């Protein structure tokens, strides 16, 4: 492992498979892990304690958490399947943050409580908006070098 | 909860995060200064958890108790987890992981303080 840690992506075409989980990919794994945990825990608490107050918002938070978890699993698993799973998750995530972000601005009454994706993820320093973009860029770059 | 300690942790962890990020920019993995800093941060987070537990033993119970406990447990476990992940990635990106851990430690401390102040 130590001999390939240096440059991360160029060693061995056979193991190009797990390249998406190395280097910058490992940073993405951390960030996706944090968001899967925080969005999931938050949704769990909200759904358990006050589901009736804002069911749409809480269901969306839970959906976001699930998508983060899928992206995380794809990155950790690596290989062709892992990469496809991660790509799909990042694409859905980007669509989600754009659609929900726009809707939350146009129809604020439909979202009485914040979701991870409200106002393009403002409550989370806009990381929910940057994350899928960075993910897609990284998956593309990793594919090219392997 | 000790406000002075919480503020010190937030400032220190953000500075340490910037210092770790500097290693990423210079294409380096963490050196001894980062590792000592991360150990000091973890020690401070454990001390903070001690103050919190003492406060709860003294009868202070935040309204959002489950959320609070979630933040508390994560605040203690997260930095060691990041150091472990950074050890698996001995490149500039390992330093970026440590920087991320520092930022999360600051955010968790801020949230702990906010949730702590809401009590019934």
């Amino acid at each position: 492992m130590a001999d390939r840690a240096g440059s991360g992506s160029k060693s061995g075409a056979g193991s190009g498979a797990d390249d998406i989980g190395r280097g910058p990919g490992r940073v993405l794994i951390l960030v996706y892990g944090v968001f899967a945990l925080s969005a999931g825990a938050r949704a769990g608490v909200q759904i358990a304690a006050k589901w009736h107050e804002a069911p749409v918002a809480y269901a969306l938070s839970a959906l976001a958490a699930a998508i983060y978890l899928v992206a995380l699993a794809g990155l950790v698993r690596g290989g062709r399947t892992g990469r496809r799973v991660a790509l799909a998750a990042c694409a859905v995530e980007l669509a989600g943050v754009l659609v929900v972000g726009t809707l939350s601005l146009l129809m604020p009454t439909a979202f009485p409580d914040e979701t991870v994706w409200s106002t393009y993820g403002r409550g989370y320093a806009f990381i929910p908006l940057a994350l899928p973009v960075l993910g897609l860029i990284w998956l593309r770059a990793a594919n090219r070098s392997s | 909860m000790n406000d002075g300690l919480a503020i010190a942790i937030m400032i220190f962890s953000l500075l340490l995060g910037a210092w770790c990020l500097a290693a990423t920019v210079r294409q380096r993995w963490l050196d001894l200064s980062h590792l000592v800093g991360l150990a000091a941060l973890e020690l401070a987070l454990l001390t903070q958890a001690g103050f919190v537990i003492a406060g709860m033993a003294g009868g202070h119970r935040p309204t959002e108790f489950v959320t609070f406990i979630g933040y508390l447990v994560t605040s203690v476990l997260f930095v060691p987890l990041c150091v472990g992940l950074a050890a698996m990635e001995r490149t500039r990106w390992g330093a970026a992981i440590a920087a991320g851990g520092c930022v999360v430690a600051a955010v968790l401390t801020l949230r702990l303080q906010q949730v702590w102040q809401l009590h019934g």
Side-chain angles (χ1 to χ4, degrees), chain B:
Chain B
M1 214 178 144
N2 188 311
D3 284 346
L5 178 63
I7 290 165
I9 287 176
M10 285 187 265
I11 293 171
F12 178 67
S13 61
L14 289 177
L15 288 175
L16 184 60
W19 182 231
C20 292
L21 208 58
T24 305
V25 173
R26 286 164 53 223
Q27 313 213 8
R28 304 274 163 79
W29 194 67
L30 305 168
D31 64 27
L32 189 63
S33 68
H34 301 106
L35 296 175
V36 170
L38 288 162
L41 176 59
E42 178 61 17
L43 206 63
L45 288 166
L46 285 168
T47 308
Q48 174 168 259
F51 275 113
V52 165
I53 291 168
M56 286 193 297
H60 185 111
R61 190 181 163 94
T63 312
E64 297 176 39
F65 189 68
V66 178
T67 306
F68 185 79
I69 295 297
Y71 283 133
L72 182 64
V73 172
T74 315
S75 78
V76 173
L77 295 181
F78 200 74
V79 170
L81 183 117
C82 286
V83 171
L85 207 57
M88 291 163 69
E89 180 64 45
R90 293 196 177 241
T91 66
R92 61 192 308 194
W93 302 111
I97 288 168
C102 292
V103 173
V104 170
V107 173
L108 283 171
T109 301
L110 177 68
R111 290 294 297 144
L112 267 177
Q113 226 187 357
Q114 288 173 342
V115 180
W116 179 259
Q117 278 155 10
L118 293 174
H119 57 96

Side-chain angles (χ1 to χ4, degrees), chain A residues 26-75:
Chain A
R26 197 107 62 177
V27 183
L28 283 175
I29 285 174
L30 176 74
V31 183
Y32 271 108
V34 170
F35 271 84
L37 180 72
S38 59
R42 187 178 183 185
V45 169
Q46 288 172 330
I47 287 171
K50 42 181 185 176
W51 166 253
H52 55 279
E53 280 178 32
V56 177
Y58 302 154
L60 274 172
S61 284
L63 177 69
I67 293 168
Y68 289 131
L69 204 58
V70 172
L72 175 68
L75 284 168

Side-chain angles (χ1 to χ4, degrees), chain A residues 4-142:
Chain A
R4 19 190 291 186
S7 67
S9 56
K10 288 192 177 134
S11 51
S15 65
D18 53 350
D19 274 348
I20 59 169
R22 298 183 175 284
R26 197 107 62 177
V27 183
L28 283 175
I29 285 174
L30 176 74
V31 183
Y32 271 108
V34 170
F35 271 84
L37 180 72
S38 59
R42 187 178 183 185
V45 169
Q46 288 172 330
I47 287 171
K50 42 181 185 176
W51 166 253
H52 55 279
E53 280 178 32
V56 177
Y58 302 154
L60 274 172
S61 284
L63 177 69
I67 293 168
Y68 289 131
L69 204 58
V70 172
L72 175 68
L75 284 168
V76 170
R77 187 180 187 281
R80 189 176 287 190
T81 316
R83 186 171 175 279
R84 275 193 196 145
V85 168
L87 266 178
C90 285
V92 173
E93 186 193 339
L94 183 59
V97 70
L98 290 175
V99 170
V100 174
T102 306
L103 286 179
S104 67
L105 287 178
L106 295 179
M107 314 189 294
T109 49
F111 297 88
D113 206 341
E114 288 265 297
T115 77
V116 190
W117 290 339
S118 296
T119 326
Y120 308 110
R122 189 180 55 187
Y124 292 80
F126 294 107
I127 294 170
L129 182 61
L131 196 53
V133 176
L134 292 175
L136 290 170
I137 291 172
W138 164 242
L139 288 170
R140 226 179 119 86

